[in-house]
Amino acid sequence: MRPPREHYREVVRRTPFHSRTTRANELNLWHRWRDYTVADAYFDVTLEYTALRNACAVFDISPMTKHRIEGPDALSFLNRLVTRDVARIGPGRVGYCVWCDDGGQVIDDGTLFHLQPGSYRLCSQERQLDWLTRSALGFNVSIREETEEVAALALQGPTSCTVLRALGLDGIETLAPFAMRTYALAGAELLVSRTGYTGDLGYELWTAPAQAEALWDRLFQAGEAYGIRPMGTHALEMARIEAGYIQAGVDFLPADRAVRVDRTRSPFELDLGWLVDFSKPNFTGRRALLDEQRRGSRYRLVRLDVEGNKPAKDAYVYDDRRNVIGAVTSALWSPMAKSSIALASVRMPWGRPTDELWAEIYYQKELKWNRLNARCRVVKGAFYEPARRRLTPPPAW
Amino acid sequence: MNRFDAIVVGGGHNGLTSAAFLARAGLRVVVLERNPYIGGATVSRELHPGWVYSNCSYVCSLLRPEIYRSLELGRHGLQIVPYGGGVTFTRDGDVLGGYVDKEVRRREIARYSARDADAYLRYGRDVMRQCRLVRSLLMRTPPDPTSWRPRDLREMLHVGREFARLGEAGIYDTIRFYTMSIADYLGEYFESDVVKANFAGSGIIGTALGVQSPGTAYVLLHHYMGDVDGQAGAWGFARGGMGAVSRALAAAVQAHGGEVRSDAPVARIRTRAGRVVGVALENGDELDAPVVLSALDPKRTFLGLFDAGDLDPRLVKRARDFKIRGSSGKLNIALDGLPSFPALGPKHPLLAGDMHFLDSLERFERAYDDWKRGTWSQDPYLDLLMPTMTDPTMAPPGKHFMSVFVQYVPHRLAGREWTDADRDAFRRTVFAQISRYSPDFEKLVVHAEVRTPQELEAEVGLTEGNIFHGELTFDQLLFNRPFPGFAQYRGPFRGMYLCGSGTHPGGGVMAAPGANAAREVLRDLRRGSTVPEGWSDD
Ligand SMILES: Cc1cc2nc3c(=O)[nH]c(=O)nc-3n(C[C@H](O)[C@H](O)[C@H](O)COP(=O)(O)OP(=O)(O)OC[C@H]3O[C@@H](n4cnc5c(N)ncnc54)[C@H](O)[C@@H]3O)c2cc1C
């Protein structure tokens, strides 16, 4: 039997937390995340962001695409799919991965949850069923999209561990980064992983949609004394840029969506070379990536510290001779780094630590437009990375 | 005064487009149309009081926006309104809705196959790649690949560059795309038969080929390469019916001082010493001009407007061999109210979309089998729309106009002409198909115009009733359209040009053939071009 046809009546759906997010959304600001409506901001972007860096904040990640991959060949299938060695992601562990097309161009990035031996959940920005099933020819695996079957919240920030303890998750402080553990919460199963998209100490909580509202209520109750706040997409976006994380469709174009074939990027060109493991068994794109290593990449993703205080949004990037060599893909005034920071894609060989780069920034004050050429310094790693992110047990706040 | 700088034979939308650009360049131009009304296959007539039909073409997407803009068709009264979505009805009482919202559409495809829902994006991407290639060629004269003239070399280079932009794999893909069947092509993306059937129609509309026939993948592209305001592949209505396109074009001709004459059938193109000198009308009148453009299809032009002795035997043979088989019919129906479609239910948004009733590729192929045997499809493919759901001007308030395009319908019934009884039986077949999905449809009918290829040939002048002035197969495209050596709009005599859908880039309400032909005329006359170049997507 086919699913009911009346789904068209609800064009944009509500997430399992909708009754709670609506109540919290004092600004009544929403946008669409694929099938779902989610909050841009709840009460004030800056204060939501501050809650995240200073206490903790909750973000509804239910619309994120999730696929379940199971079966005798799950490991060998996934190992052929992604560029890193999946055999090293043991049960109860999570791994950040990228996967490429045959040409070594990145289709998407995501997190791979090794739920039980031979059973994985792949979380990603884009839907992947077509690519996953085509890649699975010859493998004994079952692949199913389970986006709608899982409700999830991200709880991120310095007090997040303490809040989960207050919630009654005993021993949560022993959970290491990229590990996960299952708890029983009020009789229902709750999966907790120490993962996130903020570069901070944080957790993601996964449960059945029917448990969603109860989870939200308990979490906010437990967090009340620890500054817990809901956080919308704008605040999250600030955090992810500060963390230096890339986003599909923003910092790179998923290779299987590119109409213009020269718009895609390889893992090396996205500064994800560390995820490429040539010593593991064959994987999709391996030959092309070996070739690229030999011949050199076309582009480089750089993290820029931009002089002055104007966000370099959509700016062209120039070399010291005023040639356009790339463009900014994400930019922001970083409250934590107190600098104007940007992610940019530039042509090789530019983007070396010693290169003098310039961003052409347009901004307006009171309807008057100004143009600014700001010097940029190439920096390595995240713009902001607190030690608590990696500490186990993490500090209490 | 029967002396002109240029005469255009045929007042369809392409002839009018040519004339408008020539008039804009300052030429004294006249358009001669055989019928008492202009527009050819781009026409709206009121055959039943209060209802305006789009008698032939009924939806608009291909019309080049460059032409719309430069001839100021908006100012001359044209308005294109996009309509929403489409639907395929299934025999088990369900539907596959092509909703406008892309997530709703995805969820809908996922009802049939979750994988296909995701593959749809890959399909869209690949078709878009081909669209970009072909679009870059629409507003250009195809290069002659055998010529060493700098211009041809330059244009070949352009084609080569556009090809190269597809990347290596893209070149292989393109050749496959132009030669594959729509069934095989869809098979590379989709597993659900209903999903495939939903997309297959675009591959066979107006085409005397089946979904399994090589070459039908390109026909699909021909229906996707247009857009409405940058929405690639989107279709809309010309407000007030497709005749609004022709009316706006005629107004543009007149605004630039040109003349449009109806009831003026041309009998012959007159030539002397290797060049054209004018035309002779059927009533014996002669009009003189050093330039004559024919907007008729290539068969009608070369076999009808010239004596065989005027032309090289090779050309006569080519014109005779030109593939222009008719395969489509059309019903235009005045309805007393809105018919119900129980599988959709009342007030469903897709009542405003295009409706289709074949839910498997097998049924498509069987429909084609009937045509091969010389009869109309007993289980026909219909492209059914009620423009009045979007455009209130075409029927009295609360009443509706239903446009039903029918594939397949042969030009002759097993070799003999259609009789009135045949036509009525054909109508009943189509009514029955609609009634299966709309039980109250038939009792709402107040008038119906039934057109088989025979009527399309007799009334519109489409040889064998072929809607595209010649089939859109790879052997008749680009520098082979209509035939080798005549693809650059020039005919066999100095001053003679082709400007109809039989030339590159082919049929449909696109106006590109007419515009490109005008550009060539002005080039030969060493006049500055008034014809816009194509737009780039990037
Ligand atoms: C039933 C049907 C449905 C269609 N649906 C669509 C659609 O929805 N969308 C779309 O984009 N396209 C559609 N098409 C295709 C499109 O309408 C045609 O390809 C296009 O209109 C042809 O335009 P044209 O100017 O090249 O030729 P025509 O419109 O054929 O014009 C030629 C003109 O020449 C005239 N003529 C013929 N002989 C003589 C003579 N001896 N002297 C003077 N005049 C003469 C004819 O009367 C006619 O007016 C459809 C076509 C048909 C038949």
Side-chain angles (χ1 to χ4, degrees):
Chain A
M1 245 350 262
R2 288 173 209 133
R5 63 184 91 158
E6 281 70 34
H7 68 92
Y8 73 88
R9 296 214 179 111
E10 188 182 37
V11 172
V12 189
R13 295 179 164 179
R14 295 134 202 263
T15 80
F17 299 101
H18 190 77
S19 63
R20 301 306 187 265
T21 53
T22 346
R23 202 188 299 152
N25 198 335
E26 295 170 14
L27 302 175
N28 198 19
L29 284 179
W30 303 91
H31 73 279
R32 189 168 172 181
W33 180 358
R34 289 188 210 297
D35 285 300
Y36 297 94
T37 189
V38 292
D40 293 324
Y42 288 90
F43 55 100
D44 180 276
V45 176
T46 308
L47 294 180
E48 290 165 34
Y49 164 83
T50 306
L52 160 71
R53 294 295 189 211
N54 168 58
C56 68
V58 176
F59 181 80
D60 180 3
I61 53 173
S62 306
M64 186 167 45
T65 306
K66 301 174 271 297
H67 292 93
R68 181 69 71 100
I69 298 154
E70 291 172 319
D73 291 345
L75 171 62
S76 52
F77 162 71
L78 285 165
N79 231 1
R80 213 272 301 267
L81 180 81
V82 306
T83 61
R84 69 181 280 180
D85 192 353
V86 179
R88 289 158 168 249
I89 305 171
R93 300 283 306 171
V94 186
Y96 174 59
C97 308
V98 279
W99 48 102
C100 299
D101 64 10
D102 306 25
Q105 303 300 295
V106 174
I107 289 179
D108 206 349
D109 63 342
T111 40
L112 184 63
F113 290 68
H114 195 166
L115 300 171
Q116 278 119 40
S119 176
Y120 295 85
R121 174 181 296 157
L122 184 62
C123 296
S124 58
Q125 175 73 17
E126 301 289 326
R127 288 207 164 75
Q128 300 293 333
L129 205 55
D130 179 44
W131 180 251
L132 294 178
T133 24
R134 278 191 300 144
S135 298
L137 289 175
F139 289 89
N140 186 359
V141 284
S142 84
I143 301 165
R144 192 165 54 78
E145 192 192 326
E146 57 174 11
T147 304
E148 294 175 26
E149 298 158 35
V150 184
L153 294 175
L155 173 70
Q156 307 272 302
T159 62
S160 54
C161 181
T162 306
V163 171
L164 292 182
R165 279 169 60 185
L167 187 64
L169 307 188
D170 290 340
I172 190 70
E173 65 281 2
T174 63
L175 193 69
F178 290 101
M180 64 180 142
R181 199 177 286 163
T182 310
Y183 287 92
L185 185 69
E189 194 173 281
L190 177 71
L191 177 70
V192 183
S193 57
R194 191 164 160 193
T195 47
Y197 199 45
T198 60
D200 214 310
L201 171 65
Y203 302 84
E204 287 169 329
L205 315 175
W206 314 80
T207 192
Q211 313 299 327
E213 293 172 344
L215 173 63
W216 177 283
D217 294 343
R218 282 164 185 278
L219 192 60
F220 276 82
Q221 216 167 25
E224 198 172 345
Y226 306 100
I228 198 169
R229 289 283 183 278
M231 163 174 79
T233 305
H234 292 336
L236 180 74
E237 173 75 354
M238 294 173 68
R240 78 100 190 156
I241 299 173
E242 280 185 331
Y245 294 158
I246 56 171
Q247 192 183 337
V250 175
D251 301 292
F252 70 95
L253 181 66
D256 60 342
R257 303 278 184 269
V259 172
R260 296 155 184 84
V261 291
D262 56 351
R263 305 295 156 92
T264 59
R265 296 291 186 268
S266 77
F268 298 120
E269 293 169 341
L270 295 176
D271 197 23
L272 297 175
W274 59 277
L275 284 174
V276 181
D277 182 354
F278 288 119
S279 67
K280 71 165 210 173
N282 183 46
F283 61 91
T284 309
R286 183 176 192 273
R287 210 170 335 144
L289 291 174
L290 270 176
D291 255 16
E292 179 179 336
Q293 233 188 10
R294 199 161 34 75
R295 277 203 311 248
S297 303
R298 302 161 303 161
Y299 302 96
R300 183 180 349 241
L301 179 127
V302 287
R303 297 181 176 81
L304 299 175
D305 186 322
V306 184
E307 189 183 63
N309 59 358
K310 303 291 178 294
K313 215 174 155 336
D314 302 328
Y316 272 130
V317 179
Y318 296 85
D319 67 4
D320 54 356
R321 292 167 43 206
R322 300 288 298 151
N323 298 308
V324 176
I325 53 142
V328 166
T329 53
S330 293
L332 157 91
W333 169 257
S334 161
M336 289 311 297
K338 288 286 177 269
S339 49
S340 167
I341 61 175
L343 304 179
S345 180
V346 297
R347 279 205 318 272
M348 291 294 264
W350 285 278
R352 295 159 292 206
T354 52
D355 281 340
E356 183 179 307
L357 301 182
W358 297 83
E360 183 177 62
I361 302 170
Y362 289 78
Y363 68 96
Q364 59 126 328
K365 292 281 174 199
E366 300 188 318
L367 298 186
K368 181 179 181 300
W369 281 92
N370 300 306
R371 194 181 69 175
L372 183 75
N373 282 311
R375 190 191 300 265
C376 305
R377 196 166 52 82
V378 177
V379 299
K380 277 208 80 68
F383 297 102
Y384 174 66
E385 190 181 19
R388 60 182 175 252
R389 180 184 163 216
R390 295 183 188 278
L391 290 177
T392 311
W397 52 74
Chain B
M1 266 304 287
N2 276 335
R3 288 198 64 82
F4 296 89
D5 295 328
I7 295 171
V8 178
V9 185
H13 83 288
N14 275 312
L16 293 166
T17 300
S18 288
F21 284 115
L22 295 177
R24 213 171 91 157
L27 303 193
R28 286 207 56 215
V29 183
V30 65
V31 179
L32 303 174
E33 166 57 43
R34 184 185 64 149
N35 280 321
Y37 48 86
I38 59 157
T42 311
V43 67
S44 298
R45 299 175 64 204
E46 184 174 333
L47 299 182
H48 187 75
W51 274 264
V52 180
Y53 292 161
S54 284
N55 303 71
C56 288
S57 58
Y58 48 103
V59 285
C60 192
S61 162
L62 303 174
L63 182 65
R64 295 309 308 160
E66 304 92 324
I67 294 170
Y68 190 122
R69 177 176 176 170
S70 79
L71 293 179
E72 300 182 279
L73 299 184
R75 213 164 59 86
H76 292 302
L78 183 57
Q79 184 183 351
I80 306 293
V81 283
Y83 70 83
V87 54
T88 293
F89 292 79
T90 63
R91 274 164 301 178
D92 60 8
D94 203 342
V95 293
L96 172 61
Y99 293 91
V100 182
D101 183 87
K102 65 179 197 295
E103 293 300 336
V104 179
R105 186 170 55 215
R106 186 195 61 72
R107 297 201 296 256
E108 179 73 358
I109 298 175
R111 294 179 55 233
Y112 291 82
S113 158
R115 203 196 116 187
D116 287 1
D118 193 23
Y120 177 66
L121 296 179
R122 180 164 55 96
Y123 168 77
R125 174 200 69 179
D126 288 352
V127 172
M128 195 51 182
R129 284 186 176 169
Q130 294 302 327
C131 278
R132 281 167 43 79
L133 176 67
V134 63
R135 276 179 173 189
S136 77
L137 307 175
L138 296 178
M139 290 297 286
R140 306 175 88 97
T141 295
D144 178 351
T146 65
S147 146
W148 293 96
R149 285 186 315 165
R151 177 175 177 222
D152 284 310
L153 293 176
R154 220 170 32 240
E155 286 295 308
M156 277 306 282
L157 203 68
H158 168 82
V159 177
R161 251 199 316 267
E162 292 295 327
F163 247 109
R165 273 153 44 108
L166 289 167
E168 277 165 44
I171 295 171
Y172 300 117
D173 290 345
T174 305
I175 299 297
R176 295 181 72 237
F177 189 85
Y178 274 72
T179 52
M180 272 174 106
S181 74
I182 184 67
D184 285 345
Y185 189 72
L186 292 170
E188 295 195 348
Y189 299 89
F190 304 115
E191 58 188 11
S192 153
D193 207 28
V194 177
V195 173
K196 289 188 219 177
N198 180 64
F199 293 119
S202 300
I204 51 113
I205 282 193
T207 304
L209 294 170
V211 288
Q212 308 282 359
S213 315
T216 42
Y218 169 77
V219 178
L220 169 114
L221 183 62
H222 203 82
H223 290 99
Y224 273 51
M225 68 194 187
D227 65 300
V228 177
D229 297 326
Q231 268 287 17
W235 287 82
F237 297 115
R239 191 167 192 270
M242 283 302 270
V245 175
S246 306
R247 281 198 302 276
L249 285 165
V253 173
Q254 285 150 356
H256 290 293
E259 201 182 317
V260 179
R261 290 190 198 169
S262 42
D263 277 321
V266 172
R268 218 154 44 77
I269 294 181
R270 292 153 47 226
T271 65
R272 194 181 309 135
R275 48 170 321 139
V276 299
V277 292
V279 301
L281 300 186
E282 272 176 17
N283 66 9
D285 288 357
E286 293 200 342
L287 281 69
D288 300 331
V291 169
V292 176
L293 298 89
S294 170
L296 316 192
D297 69 57
K299 261 203 198 325
R300 215 163 250 264
T301 299
F302 291 117
L303 306 178
L305 298 181
F306 292 101
D307 293 331
D310 294 340
L311 307 173
D312 282 350
R314 196 164 64 153
L315 176 54
V316 175
K317 180 79 168 83
R318 284 214 154 119
R320 278 179 187 267
D321 291 345
F322 186 62
K323 251 188 335 178
I324 190 164
R325 297 169 297 180
S327 61
S328 320
K330 177 97 195 278
L331 268 64
N332 297 303
I333 303 168
L335 295 172
D336 205 26
L338 181 65
S340 65
F341 289 84
L344 289 178
K347 299 214 185 295
H348 196 286
L350 293 179
L351 287 169
D354 41 44
M355 301 187 181
H356 309 103
F357 308 99
L358 294 192
D359 61 354
S360 76
L361 292 183
E362 172 76 18
R363 288 173 75 191
F364 271 96
E365 194 64 18
R366 293 301 148 251
Y368 178 49
D369 288 344
D370 291 338
W371 179 89
K372 279 186 281 184
R373 279 195 294 269
T375 179
W376 65 90
S377 305
Q378 297 308 303
D379 178 18
Y381 171 75
L382 307 183
D383 187 26
L384 180 152
L385 280 144
M386 292 182 283
T388 34
M389 292 298 291
T390 306
D391 174 359
T393 68
M394 300 185 76
K399 318 281 182 194
H400 287 277
F401 160 50
M402 181 187 271
S403 163
V404 189
F405 182 90
V406 190
Q407 194 76 16
Y408 300 83
V409 193
H411 176 235
R412 291 281 177 265
L413 291 176
R416 68 170 172 81
E417 296 206 354
W418 288 73
T419 62
D420 288 349
D422 295 327
R423 203 174 303 103
D424 200 52
F426 164 62
R427 177 192 61 75
R428 282 200 306 274
T429 301
V430 176
F431 273 26
Q433 184 77 312
I434 301 169
S435 298
R436 267 191 277 278
Y437 303 90
S438 178
D440 59 355
F441 149 76
E442 213 169 322
K443 67 174 199 291
L444 293 168
V445 175
V446 292
H447 174 263
E449 180 192 22
V450 184
R451 319 189 89 187
T452 74
Q454 188 162 299
E455 282 76 46
L456 293 174
E457 178 169 53
E459 295 169 18
V460 192
L462 303 168
T463 301
E464 296 189 32
N466 183 289
I467 74 166
F468 295 130
H469 283 205
E471 287 170 61
L472 297 174
T473 49
F474 201 28
D475 57 323
Q476 299 194 149
L477 288 177
L478 284 167
F479 43 70
N480 283 326
R481 190 167 185 86
F483 340 109
F486 293 91
Q488 298 188 329
Y489 306 98
R490 288 176 188 74
F493 298 94
R494 272 187 67 192
M496 194 243 153
Y497 300 83
L498 298 167
C499 68
S501 296
T503 60
H504 170 79
V509 182
M510 185 163 27
N516 290 343
R519 194 192 295 111
E520 294 301 323
V521 171
L522 293 172
R523 168 183 284 269
D524 289 350
L525 295 176
R526 297 181 195 287
R527 298 254 189 165
S529 177
T530 53
V531 183
E533 305 293 323
W535 280 340
S536 151
D537 276 344
D538 295 321

